[in-house]
């Protein structure tokens, strides 16, 4: 597509003066313009399709694409303004160009929350771009290309022309609504700050310089310092902390900008004077302030062959007796070359000036410079020999020394020592086993004088368990034997001399070497006989326990030790035969077994093999891997009500298989803690207050057990507390509701008719709630006319009422339960007024207010009527009887109807009394007084 133009300007604000640049590409219309309605609808459908299906870069084909460039420092905190897209894109905001015209709100959205999106926060309304909580680390972000990289929403892409130090974040931002739609390419250049110090890849750098290196020799240091920062913040200079006056540093920069330090030799070097220089190389960057890094630099001076062999003396004078035996050491010459290695190798040789007879008489070892007698000295041998010896070094003029050997002629021959070995001998070395017994013979020695005219004596010289003694009955025969057993582990080699001398003082010695042969006489020895180990339970399989170590003083195979488990070791322990590493192949459980004890063996490879035994004890340490465990998941306790506060309800038993602090258990009540408390140590459950079954018959608690581990483990148990009823509630009379109430009883009431009832309830349960009714006191004209049913409380008329029976009857009813051990009771006064009508209520109420004179009796009392009262009643009954006689015929129908009505009510009452004879309430239930409520029987309306 061709470009319609470019817009360039600087975006103010942001993170330190950000540069903004925008490019517009051809689109379907000018920004904010309107197309025809069909074209606009098609554009909307096309944009919706591309939004959910196509990649976002396709939008450039239908609208304007813009690029914005910003830059900011790395490591900035969250909330730093990078730039305002709305301002930098010159988009209109509310109240801008056309204040009167409605403008839809702008929406800015990141097209992808990729790698670049995590470092920025975009305000969807204002278009302001800020740094996010994820700190930008330029060195981590651009590490792939060593500094130059562009990171976008999904992957790194190449910038158009990035500088070698550029590091860009690429963001795709969508601007909506449709009138302002465009895809904005935001590129954020991350500027480097000096937040990294130079660092050498190795802490110790070694450099080798030949000692003959000329001045100004340059040697590259192959491990330059590295600095993730770029530009001037990278490594700029190097220096030596100590140059010893012979070294300095220079820095060279290649085409890619990498700086390499070079060591320059500034003075003469001599390895023989000083072979090593140790200093510190320091790398410094160009930041403000500068950061430094250092490493140890060791400069080794390598040797060159700049020295030749030298003898300390120019001449040696040696005297040799003419009777010296072959192999006698004459002298040793020694030259020194201060160079190293092959440069210091010296060989010795005779000069060509040395005559052949002298060469034949004296042997010169070319490596050691030792001169020995190689031929017998006889009468024709010259008495003076001049041996000129050369010390030869590589590439050097030989050093020269002269050895003058003067031979002294001796007329007498020395004694002779002739050995005859009994033990095994080879090349002058006798081999004896260390277990040989005492007085083991080694050799016979024959001592004789060649001239047979001098007495010869013999003795043994040297340390060791040996003895040389004359062997009788022979003369000049000596036996060499041992004086005690030999021990290879104490000493392996002995060197002794058999010395013979004659009466003239001539000595001859025969050197004997005795090599002790090892035998398997030592058992392996453990460094510890008791090996005490610990391991935490729940270990990983094949966990390392220890490495056993046993030593054997014998040599060779006899001293090679192998390790084995004893027969009492469990099968899941393993012991490496060669290394002695002890492992356990399975997880150990302290709760299953806490201690292990078994034996291990160390066996050598001798024949027969020898062994030793050690004991291994393993203590399995506890981990908090067991939760507290209740003996039951559900506990039930039966407690009588009114149990005293802080009394012991029951004991909650809980265990924890762990040990120590991990097995310590604390108990607590999760619910109901305001009423109940538990003793943490003993597990005793107590109630803080006295419990009343009538208020609540049962409690359900949850008890939590927490151990002392870290982290702690816990478990819970359900506790059910059931309150047992005790007879602590007397019956409650519900009817009659007052001792002052009364009921009208018509004189025409037939015998056996129910008059009223006493209704009571008891909050207790069981037998404590079974109620019995009885009349314990009566007062009235004929009080025995009424009886009460002991079960139902129904009061019925026993006898027909006569005219003399008119008046007020007061019955004292006792309502008693069947509680144990002591029944409880209540009393109520039942007032019955026998009359045809109630003509004077105030009179009756005045009678009720008087304290009744009633004798308390458990049996029905025989109540006699006082004379004054009888006279009054008799006088008052005469008119009544006359009236009844007159109206008797008219009342037959009324009496018959009422009799039928009373019989029907009586049948219902007896049926209901049988149903409610005894109320059984469950132990954990509650008494519903509303369910037991009964209405009083109404005989007539007062």
């Amino acid at each position: 597509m061709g470009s319609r133009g470019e817009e360039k300007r600087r975006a103010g604000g942001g993170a330190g003066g950000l540069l903004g640049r925008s490019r517009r590409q051809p689109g379907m219309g000018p920004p904010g313009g309107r197309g025809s309605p069909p074209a606009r609808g098609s554009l909307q459908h096309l944009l919706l399709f591309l939004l959910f299906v196509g990649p976002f870069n396709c939008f450039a084909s239908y609208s304007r694409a813009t690029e914005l460039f910003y830059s900011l420092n790395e490591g900035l905190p969250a909330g730093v303004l990078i730039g305002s897209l709305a301002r930098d894109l010159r988009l209109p905001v509310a109240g801008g160009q056309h204040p009167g015209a409605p403008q839809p709100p702008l929406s800015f959205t990141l097209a992808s929350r990729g790698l670049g999106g995590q470092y920025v926060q975009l305000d969807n309304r204002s278009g302001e771009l800020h740094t996010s909580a994820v700190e930008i680390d330029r060195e981590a972000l651009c590490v792939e290309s060593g500094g130059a990289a562009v990171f976008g929403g999904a992957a790194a892409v190449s910038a158009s022309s990035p500088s070698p130090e550029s590091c860009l974040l690429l963001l795709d931002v969508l601007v909506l609504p449709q009138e302002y739609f465009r895809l904005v390419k935001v590129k954020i250049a991350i500027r480097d700050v000096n937040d990294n110090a130079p660092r050498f890849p190795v802490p110790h750098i070694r450099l080798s310089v030949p000692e003959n290196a000329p001045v100004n020799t340059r040697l590259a240091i192959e491990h330059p310092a590295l600095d993730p920062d770029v530009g001037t913040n990278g490594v700029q200079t190097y220096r030596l902390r100590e140059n010893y006056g012979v070294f300095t540093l220079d820095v060279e920069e290649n085409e890619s900008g990498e700086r390499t330090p070079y060591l320059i030799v500034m003075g003469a070097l001599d390895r023989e004077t000083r072979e090593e220089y140790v200093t510190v190389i320091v790398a410094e960057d160009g930041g403000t302030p500068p950061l430094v890094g250092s490493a140890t630099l060791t400069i080794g001076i390598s040797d060159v062959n700049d020295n030749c062999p030298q003898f300390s003396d120019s001449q040696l004078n040696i005297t040799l007796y003419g009777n010296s035996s072959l192999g006698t050491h004459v002298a040793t010459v020694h030259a020194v070359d201060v160079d190293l290695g092959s440069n210091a190798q010296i060989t010795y040789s005779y000069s060509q000036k040395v005559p052949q007879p002298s060469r034949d008489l004296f042997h010169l070892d070319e490596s050691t410079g030792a001169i020995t007698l190689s031929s017998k000295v006889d009468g024709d041998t010259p008495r003076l020999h001049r041996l000129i010896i050369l010390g030869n070094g590589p590439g050097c003029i030989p050093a020269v020394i002269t050895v003058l050997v003067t031979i002294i002629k001796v007329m007498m021959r020395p004694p002779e020592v002739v050995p005859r070995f009994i033990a095994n001998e080879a090349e002058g070395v006798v081999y004896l086993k260390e277990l040989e017994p005492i007085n083991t013979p080694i050799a016979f020695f024959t001592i004789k004088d060649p001239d047979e005219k001098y007495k010869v004596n013999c003795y043994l010289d040297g340390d060791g368990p040996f003895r040389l003694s004359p062997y009788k009955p022979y003369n000049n025969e000596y036996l060499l034997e041992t004086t005690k057993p030999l021990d290879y582990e104490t000493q392996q080699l002995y060197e002794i001399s058999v010395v013979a001398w004659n009466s003239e003082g001539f000595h001859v010695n025969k050197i004997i070497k005795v090599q002790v042969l090892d035998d398997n006489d030592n058992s392996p020895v453990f460094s510890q006989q008791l090996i005490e180990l610990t391991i935490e339970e729940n270990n990983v399989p094949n966990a390392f326990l220890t490495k056993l170590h046993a030593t054997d003083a014998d040599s060779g195979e006899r001293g090679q030790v192998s390790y084995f488990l004893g027969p009492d070791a469990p099968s899941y322990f393993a012991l490496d035969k060669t290394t002695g590493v002890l492992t356990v192949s399975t997880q150990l459980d302290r709760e299953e077994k806490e201690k292990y004890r078994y034996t291990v063996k160390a066996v050598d490879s001798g024949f027969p093999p020898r062994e030793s035994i050690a004991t291994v004890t393993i203590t399995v340490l506890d981990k908090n891997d067991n939760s507290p465990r209740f003996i039951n998941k559900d506990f039930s306790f039966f407690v009588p009500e009114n149990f005293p506060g802080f009394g012991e309800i029951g004991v909650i038993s809980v265990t924890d298989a762990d040990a120590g602090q991990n097995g310590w258990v604390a108990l607590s009540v999760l619910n109901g803690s305001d009423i109940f408390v538990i003793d943490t140590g003993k597990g005793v459950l107590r109630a803080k207050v006295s419990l009343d079954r009538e208020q609540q018959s049962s409690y359900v608690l949850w008890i939590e057990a927490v151990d002392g581990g870290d982290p702690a483990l816990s478990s819970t148990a359900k506790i059910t507390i059931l309150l047992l009823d005790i007879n602590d509630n007397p019956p409650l009379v519900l009817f009659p509701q007052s001792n002052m109430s009364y009921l009208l009883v018509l004189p025409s009431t037939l015998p056996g008719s129910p008059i009223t009832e006493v209704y009571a309830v008891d909050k207790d349960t069981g037998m404590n709630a079974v109620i019995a009714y009885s009349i314990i006191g009566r007062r009235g004209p004929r009080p025995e006319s009424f009886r009460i049913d002991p079960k139902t409380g129904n009061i019925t008329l026993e006898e027909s009422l006569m005219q003399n029976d008119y008046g007020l009857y007061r019955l004292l009813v006792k309502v008693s339960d069947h509680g144990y051990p002591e029944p409880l009771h209540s009393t109520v006064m039942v007032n019955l007024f026998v009359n045809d009508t109630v003509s004077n209520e105030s009179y009756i109420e005045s009678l009720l207010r008087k304290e009744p004179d009633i004798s308390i009796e458990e049996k029905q009392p025989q109540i006699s009527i006082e004379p004054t009262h009888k006279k009054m009643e008799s006088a008052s009954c005469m008119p009544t009887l006359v009236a009844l006689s007159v109206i008797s015929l008219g009342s037959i129908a009324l009496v018959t109807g009422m009799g039928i009505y009373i019989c029907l009510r009586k049948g219902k009452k007896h049926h209901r009394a049988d149903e409610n004879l005894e109320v059984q309430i469950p132990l954990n239930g509650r008494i519903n007084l509303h369910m037991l409520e009964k209405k009083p029987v109404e005989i007539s309306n007062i």
Side-chain angles (χ1 to χ4, degrees):
M1 287 182 289
S3 175
R4 299 176 60 185
E6 289 190 356
E7 298 175 2
K8 296 184 179 180
R9 70 183 188 87
R10 295 194 174 272
L18 307 179
L19 175 63
R21 183 181 64 191
S22 64
R23 291 202 300 259
R24 286 191 302 182
Q25 296 182 359
M28 297 184 65
R34 295 183 178 268
S36 63
R40 183 178 181 184
S42 301
L43 178 59
Q44 290 177 347
H45 288 85
L46 181 58
L47 288 178
L48 290 173
F49 174 78
L50 293 177
L51 181 62
F52 291 96
V53 180
F56 288 104
N57 56 12
C58 294
F59 290 148
S61 301
Y62 301 95
S63 66
R64 294 180 297 169
T66 308
E67 287 187 351
L68 291 178
F69 293 90
Y70 299 101
S71 64
L72 76 160
N73 293 339
E74 62 173 327
L76 293 177
V80 175
L81 178 64
I82 300 174
S84 175
L85 273 64
R87 182 188 63 209
D88 297 338
L89 293 173
R90 300 176 180 175
L91 295 175
V93 295
Q97 297 175 351
H98 306 284
Q103 296 180 2
L106 295 177
S107 174
F108 300 85
T109 307
L110 286 175
S112 174
R113 300 289 300 184
L115 178 61
Q118 65 177 325
Y119 297 105
V120 298
Q121 288 290 340
L122 177 62
D123 190 303
N124 294 337
R125 293 301 180 187
S126 67
E128 289 187 348
L129 199 62
H130 296 83
T131 56
S132 70
V134 180
E135 184 178 293
I136 299 177
D137 185 359
R138 184 187 182 283
E139 290 72 35
L141 192 63
C142 302
V143 69
E144 297 179 358
S145 59
V150 178
F151 288 88
V157 298
S158 299
S160 57
S161 297
S163 67
E165 300 175 359
S166 64
C167 177
L168 302 179
L169 284 179
L170 178 61
L171 305 174
D172 291 341
V173 180
L174 293 176
V175 182
L176 295 173
Q178 178 184 351
E179 290 87 343
Y180 305 101
F181 172 77
R182 67 184 67 191
L183 175 65
V184 182
K185 297 283 187 177
V186 179
K187 294 182 179 180
I188 304 174
I190 308 303
R191 293 195 297 264
D192 183 50
V193 298
N194 191 28
D195 57 346
N196 291 278
R199 184 178 61 87
F200 286 91
V202 293
H204 197 125
I205 303 172
R206 187 170 185 86
L207 195 63
S208 180
V209 181
E211 63 176 328
N212 62 347
V215 176
N216 293 327
T217 298
R218 299 171 65 86
L219 299 169
I221 298 177
E222 297 181 355
H223 299 285
L226 305 176
D227 193 329
D229 297 324
V230 296
T232 58
N233 293 330
V235 178
Q236 299 296 318
T237 61
Y238 291 87
R239 69 176 186 272
L240 292 177
R241 193 166 291 174
E242 174 62 54
N243 58 18
Y244 298 99
V246 292
F247 300 106
T248 189
L249 286 179
D250 189 18
V251 180
E252 291 186 3
E253 184 175 353
N254 58 16
E255 296 178 355
S256 62
E258 296 179 353
R259 296 173 180 266
T260 303
Y262 281 82
L263 181 71
I264 302 176
V265 179
M266 301 298 294
L269 304 175
D270 185 6
R271 189 205 64 80
E272 288 73 32
T273 302
R274 183 165 186 171
E275 62 180 9
E276 187 177 78
Y277 296 87
V278 179
T279 184
V280 175
I281 182 173
V282 179
E284 183 176 307
D285 61 23
T288 303
L291 302 178
V292 298
S294 63
T296 302
L297 177 63
T298 301
I299 306 170
I301 308 303
S302 59
D303 184 56
V304 296
N305 192 24
D306 58 346
N307 292 279
C308 291
Q310 291 182 353
F311 288 104
S312 58
D313 298 314
S314 60
Q315 181 174 311
L316 292 177
N317 297 317
I318 303 298
T319 299
L320 180 67
Y321 290 101
N323 61 349
S324 300
S325 58
L326 297 179
T328 299
H329 179 265
V330 177
T332 299
V333 295
H334 181 68
V336 176
D337 191 330
V338 293
D339 291 327
L340 292 176
S342 60
N343 295 331
Q345 290 182 353
I346 301 174
T347 59
Y348 301 94
S349 62
Y350 284 125
S351 171
Q352 295 180 356
K353 297 179 180 180
V354 178
Q356 191 62 41
S358 296
R359 293 170 182 256
D360 295 339
L361 183 61
F362 300 103
H363 172 72
L364 174 62
D365 189 304
E366 66 176 7
S367 299
T368 64
I371 303 171
T372 56
L373 186 63
S374 58
S375 299
K376 268 223 178 251
V377 177
D378 54 23
D380 298 330
T381 301
R383 296 294 176 255
L384 182 63
H385 297 268
R386 183 184 295 273
L387 306 177
I388 301 175
I389 299 174
L390 306 178
N392 306 296
C396 290
I397 299 175
V400 179
I401 189 173
T402 302
V403 179
L404 293 177
V405 181
T406 302
I407 299 177
I408 301 175
K409 185 175 181 181
V410 179
M411 303 301 298
M412 169 189 325
R413 290 185 292 176
E416 293 182 358
V417 179
V418 180
R420 288 171 294 167
F421 292 99
I422 302 172
N424 294 332
E425 181 268 342
E427 298 181 357
V429 180
V430 178
Y431 296 92
L432 291 177
K433 292 184 178 180
E434 63 175 329
L435 297 181
E436 293 290 348
I438 300 175
N439 301 326
T440 297
I442 298 174
F444 278 111
F445 289 90
T446 302
I447 310 299
K448 60 182 179 179
D449 181 14
D451 299 326
E452 297 181 353
K453 51 183 178 179
Y454 299 102
K455 183 180 179 181
V456 180
N457 293 317
C458 182
Y459 67 92
L460 187 64
D461 186 23
D463 296 329
F466 305 103
R467 177 176 59 220
L468 183 66
S469 57
Y471 189 72
K472 303 296 183 181
Y474 305 102
N475 295 325
N476 298 330
E477 293 288 343
Y478 293 86
L479 176 63
L480 179 63
E481 58 186 355
T482 61
T483 59
K484 62 180 182 179
L486 302 177
D487 187 3
Y488 174 85
E489 288 72 35
T490 303
Q491 187 169 346
Q492 294 86 37
L493 181 65
Y494 296 90
E495 187 172 316
I496 56 178
S497 297
V498 177
V499 181
W501 84 99
N502 59 18
S503 56
E504 295 298 322
F506 283 96
H507 291 74
V508 174
N509 61 343
K510 181 68 176 179
I511 297 175
I512 306 294
K513 292 183 179 180
V514 179
Q515 176 67 54
V516 182
L517 300 179
D518 188 30
D519 205 344
N520 193 28
D521 61 337
N522 290 280
S523 299
V525 178
F526 281 100
S527 56
Q528 293 176 287
Q529 285 299 312
L530 179 60
I531 304 165
E532 297 178 323
L533 307 174
T534 59
I535 184 175
E536 279 194 343
E537 62 176 330
N538 304 331
N539 55 282
V540 297
N542 300 316
F544 173 84
L545 293 175
T546 189
K547 183 176 182 180
L548 302 180
H549 181 65
T551 57
D552 194 318
D554 295 324
S555 62
E557 292 183 353
R558 303 174 188 85
Q560 293 180 357
V561 180
S562 300
Y563 301 92
F564 302 94
L565 289 172
D568 55 345
S571 59
Y572 38 83
F573 288 96
L575 180 59
D576 190 279
K577 176 182 178 181
T578 304
T579 62
V581 173
L582 181 63
T583 57
V584 56
S585 61
T586 187
Q587 281 191 348
L588 299 180
D589 187 357
R590 189 204 66 83
E591 289 72 37
E592 181 178 336
K593 189 171 183 180
E594 184 176 5
K595 290 186 179 295
Y596 295 85
R597 185 183 181 94
Y598 53 86
T599 58
V600 291
K601 295 190 299 183
V603 183
D604 63 21
S605 301
F607 184 79
R610 300 175 69 97
E611 66 180 37
S612 62
I613 296 177
T615 301
V616 175
T617 63
I618 300 174
T619 301
V620 183
L621 302 179
D622 184 55
K623 291 181 70 175
N624 193 27
D625 58 343
N626 289 277
S627 300
R629 183 176 180 181
F630 291 92
I631 60 172
N632 295 312
K633 295 303 290 183
D634 293 321
F635 291 84
S636 296
F637 297 105
F638 294 88
V639 181
E641 64 174 329
N642 301 330
F643 195 68
F646 292 97
E648 181 178 324
I649 295 175
V651 177
I652 311 299
S653 298
V654 61
T655 60
D656 194 315
D658 294 321
Q661 187 73 14
N662 296 332
W664 181 84
V665 179
L667 296 174
S668 61
V669 181
L670 296 181
N671 61 326
S673 59
D674 54 339
I675 301 178
F676 297 95
V677 66
I678 192 166
D679 189 334
T680 297
K682 299 179 180 179
V684 177
L685 181 64
R686 306 177 190 272
K688 300 179 182 179
V689 297
S690 179
L691 303 178
D692 188 358
R693 190 204 62 79
E694 285 71 40
Q695 293 184 3
Q696 186 170 343
S697 61
S698 64
Y699 296 87
V700 177
L701 304 179
W702 289 97
I703 303 297
E704 182 183 38
V706 181
D707 62 23
D710 185 18
L713 301 178
S714 64
S715 62
T716 57
K718 180 182 178 183
I719 311 296
T720 302
I721 302 173
L722 301 173
L723 297 183
L724 301 178
D725 184 50
I726 63 173
N727 194 26
D728 60 341
N729 290 281
L732 175 64
V733 179
L734 300 180
F735 185 84
Q737 298 179 355
S738 170
N739 289 334
M740 302 297 291
S741 64
Y742 64 94
L743 182 68
L744 176 65
V745 181
L746 297 177
S748 59
T749 303
L750 296 179
S753 299
I755 303 303
T756 184
E757 67 174 344
V758 176
Y759 177 60
V761 295
D762 197 316
K763 295 181 181 179
D764 296 322
T765 60
M767 294 302 296
N768 295 332
V770 176
I771 299 175
Y773 302 88
S774 63
I775 299 175
I776 62 172
R778 303 167 184 264
R779 182 177 179 82
R782 192 155 51 98
E784 64 274 7
S785 300
F786 300 94
R787 67 175 294 274
I788 189 167
D789 190 302
K791 295 182 180 179
T792 64
N794 289 337
I795 298 176
T796 58
L797 180 64
E798 287 289 292
E799 301 174 357
S800 298
L801 297 173
M802 306 302 290
Q803 185 175 4
N804 293 334
D805 297 333
Y806 283 40
L808 179 63
Y809 292 78
R810 307 197 75 175
L811 306 179
L812 182 59
V813 178
K814 177 182 178 181
V815 184
S816 176
D817 60 24
H818 286 66
Y820 179 84
E822 182 71 27
L824 301 178
H825 69 274
S826 299
T827 59
V828 64
M829 187 69 73
V830 177
N831 301 304
L832 302 176
F833 184 63
V834 178
N835 202 0
D836 292 322
T837 59
V838 178
S839 58
N840 191 351
E841 292 184 5
S842 59
Y843 170 70
I844 298 174
E845 291 175 357
S846 65
L847 295 178
L848 294 177
R849 283 194 291 269
K850 294 181 181 180
E851 187 69 26
D853 185 12
I854 299 176
S855 299
I856 305 299
E857 298 180 3
E858 288 298 331
K859 297 181 180 180
Q860 285 192 357
Q862 299 293 330
I863 303 176
S864 61
I865 302 176
E866 296 180 0
T868 58
H869 186 69
K870 284 183 178 181
K871 188 180 291 185
M872 182 188 67
E873 293 292 338
S874 176
S876 62
C877 287
M878 290 301 293
T880 305
L881 291 175
V882 174
L884 286 174
S885 299
V886 175
I887 64 174
S888 60
L889 294 177
S891 301
I892 292 174
L894 177 61
V895 172
T896 304
M898 290 189 66
I900 296 172
Y901 173 79
I902 293 172
C903 290
L904 292 175
R905 291 282 296 177
K906 184 178 181 181
K908 292 182 180 180
K909 178 63 68 176
H910 282 290
H911 178 69
R912 186 169 57 182
D914 293 337
E915 290 180 347
N916 297 295
L917 181 60
E918 182 175 345
V919 180
Q920 296 292 339
I921 300 175
L923 191 62
N924 60 351
R926 296 185 179 180
I927 298 176
N928 192 338
L929 300 178
H930 298 287
M931 294 178 62
L932 300 180
E933 182 180 2
K934 295 183 179 180
K935 296 182 179 180
V937 177
E938 296 181 0
I939 301 300
S940 62
N941 294 327
I942 299 177

